[in-house]
Amino acid sequence: MTTTWAPVPAGSGFGLENLPYGVFRPADGSPRVGVRVGDHVLDLAAALGDPVFAAPSLNGFLARGRGEWQRVRAEIVGLLTDPASAAAGTAALHPLADVALQLPFAVADYVDFYASEHHATNLGRMFRPDSAALLPNWRHLPVGYHGRAGTVVVSGTPVVRPSGQRKAPSDEDPVFGPSVRLDIEAELGFVVGAGSDPGKPLGTSDFADHVFGVCLVNDWSARDIQAWEYVPLGPFLGKSFATSVSPWIVPLEALEAARIATPPQEPEPLPHLRDAEDWGLDIGLTVDLNGEPVSRPPYAQMYWSPAQMVAHMTSNGAPLRTGDLFASGTISGPGRDQRGSLIELTWNGAEPLRLADGSERTFLADGDLVTIRASAPASGGGRIDLGEVTGRIAPAPA
């Protein structure tokens, strides 16, 4: 295995096979682009001499396209493995503890999908117990909705409990107030680098030419607000108050060893949605609530691949733009301990979670801290780390 002069601890998931990109602010400077190497950040503007990295977002670099992404990655690996570069490279390293991590890219559009068969089936069984769990369109296309790009926030940003209209089945009229059924959704996000032309649909084979990498996503959801508003046009205020993303964008090149086929798709998708390149991903997630693991969702179980999501998003001629973010939807597996949302883990509140401190949760309480972590197989063995996305619930404004 290739070695580096950089101080990468043994067993780190942030070695040469990973090299995720982010934006950091040193104590004595302005925000700029770097890559994570072990427990340090390499300042790319200083290390490579390219002004595109002396910027508060990745967007300028993302827009350069796949050929440039590959060239720069090779240059970074060369720098980190060349003993002659050690002195200059070390001067461009910042300890993580000394920097503040920022939102890594300026979000253009945000789309959220509903790609887990297990999640969709669980919710169908809860809310349509006398009907088929999956609606007729679900196996024919990746269902999704358009979200609010302006409410995407970086990991660690407090999540203020949203207020809105809600109406319980037993209520005669709706009321307005803070959500009492605040939930999480453990998801994987995909960051678009190179845009596409309006009116030109993309195929599944175009995926890697346009999508730069992945991040972790928590699509916070106010289930009571959502339940009252979503018929007939879908999620709106119950979803748009905050979506948290991890600060590190892992390039697709780092995930080659994680690529797998999706689960069998029946009926076979229409020709424009057939994914012949196997863009399923073997990524394992862990959801912690107040430091206690409560779920381990497996991304390998996701029915629709991100390549199929891109093909569907652009099939009507809608273009991709640099900085677009699209997320997978809640990741859930067949086991109870693999469900990626509290509404599933507690079966809509009927089966509360009991935590190690003796407390119970059906949905989130003020002060709760949610952390989602993930890792994937590395090409040389071992695993790479996708980092984490965290958020603590703050009370609704008085």
Side-chain angles (χ1 to χ4, degrees):
M1 182 179 294
T2 306
T3 58
T4 176
W5 49 259
V8 178
S12 171
F14 292 101
L16 294 177
E17 293 177 310
N18 193 350
L19 301 178
Y21 289 74
V23 171
F24 72 100
R25 188 183 72 245
D28 58 350
S30 56
R32 52 213 299 108
V33 175
V35 296
R36 181 166 177 177
V37 185
D39 296 326
H40 289 74
V41 184
L42 179 68
D43 182 338
L44 291 183
L48 304 183
D50 189 335
V52 76
F53 298 118
S57 85
L58 274 163
N59 292 49
F61 173 61
L62 297 181
R64 289 181 173 181
R66 188 180 185 185
E68 187 70 356
W69 308 337
Q70 293 173 327
R71 186 196 68 77
V72 169
R73 182 174 174 84
E75 187 176 357
I76 294 169
V77 171
L79 182 150
L80 291 171
T81 55
D82 180 4
S85 301
T90 298
L93 285 176
H94 297 257
L96 274 175
D98 295 345
V99 304
L101 299 178
Q102 314 284 296
L103 188 67
F105 61 102
V107 183
D109 279 317
Y110 171 51
V111 172
D112 194 29
F113 284 95
Y114 191 49
S116 167
E117 181 178 7
H118 297 289
H119 174 68
T121 298
N122 285 337
L123 266 61
R125 288 173 176 164
M126 284 180 212
F127 299 120
R128 297 184 301 275
D130 299 324
S131 305
L134 296 178
L135 293 173
N137 65 344
W138 197 90
R139 292 185 186 276
H140 293 274
L141 54 83
V143 174
Y145 72 91
H146 206 118
R148 289 284 295 274
T151 58
V152 176
V153 296
V154 72
S155 174
T157 304
V159 176
V160 177
R161 183 178 296 275
S163 293
Q165 279 196 32
R166 61 181 194 270
K167 181 182 180 298
S170 58
D171 292 340
E172 184 174 347
D173 296 304
V175 298
F176 182 89
S179 170
V180 296
R181 296 167 68 84
L182 187 55
D183 200 357
I184 65 167
E185 292 195 350
E187 306 190 14
L188 194 65
F190 299 88
V191 180
V192 173
S196 63
D197 295 330
K200 182 182 178 182
L202 300 176
T204 58
S205 62
D206 297 314
F207 172 70
D209 288 332
H210 293 271
V211 172
F212 173 74
V214 306
C215 61
L216 297 176
V217 172
N218 190 340
D219 179 35
W220 307 92
S221 300
R223 300 296 185 188
D224 42 0
I225 298 172
Q226 180 184 358
W228 175 234
E229 74 180 0
Y230 85 104
V231 177
L233 294 182
F236 189 41
L237 300 185
K239 295 274 194 177
S240 65
F241 55 96
T243 300
S244 298
V245 298
S246 53
W248 301 111
I249 310 301
V250 176
L252 289 187
E253 283 190 76
L255 294 171
E256 278 297 315
R259 288 177 61 177
I260 57 174
T262 58
Q265 296 181 335
E266 298 178 357
E268 184 179 22
L270 293 174
H272 71 292
L273 289 177
R274 292 174 190 165
D275 182 3
E277 297 189 357
D278 289 344
W279 273 109
L281 292 167
D282 181 15
I283 294 174
L285 290 81
T286 301
V287 178
D288 290 355
L289 178 55
N290 296 331
E292 181 178 339
V294 295
S295 178
R296 300 186 186 279
Y299 192 85
Q301 292 284 330
M302 298 297 275
Y303 187 90
W304 294 103
S305 78
Q308 291 172 313
M309 297 175 203
V310 164
H312 181 59
M313 274 193 295
T314 63
S315 62
N316 66 347
L320 298 179
R321 294 193 295 170
T322 297
D324 280 355
L325 170 68
F326 65 97
S328 62
T330 303
I331 304 165
S332 293
R336 178 171 179 172
D337 63 346
Q338 296 177 322
R339 299 170 182 172
S341 62
L342 289 176
I343 196 171
E344 294 172 89
L345 286 166
T346 70
W347 208 252
N348 200 23
E351 302 170 6
L353 280 177
R354 179 173 291 274
L355 302 180
D357 63 3
S359 64
E360 291 187 344
R361 292 290 186 281
T362 51
F363 294 94
L364 294 170
D366 290 348
D368 280 349
L369 177 68
V370 178
T371 302
I372 302 170
R373 300 183 177 87
S375 65
S379 57
R383 298 185 72 80
I384 63 170
D385 200 328
L386 276 68
E388 64 181 37
V389 56
T390 68
R392 188 181 295 277
I393 305 303

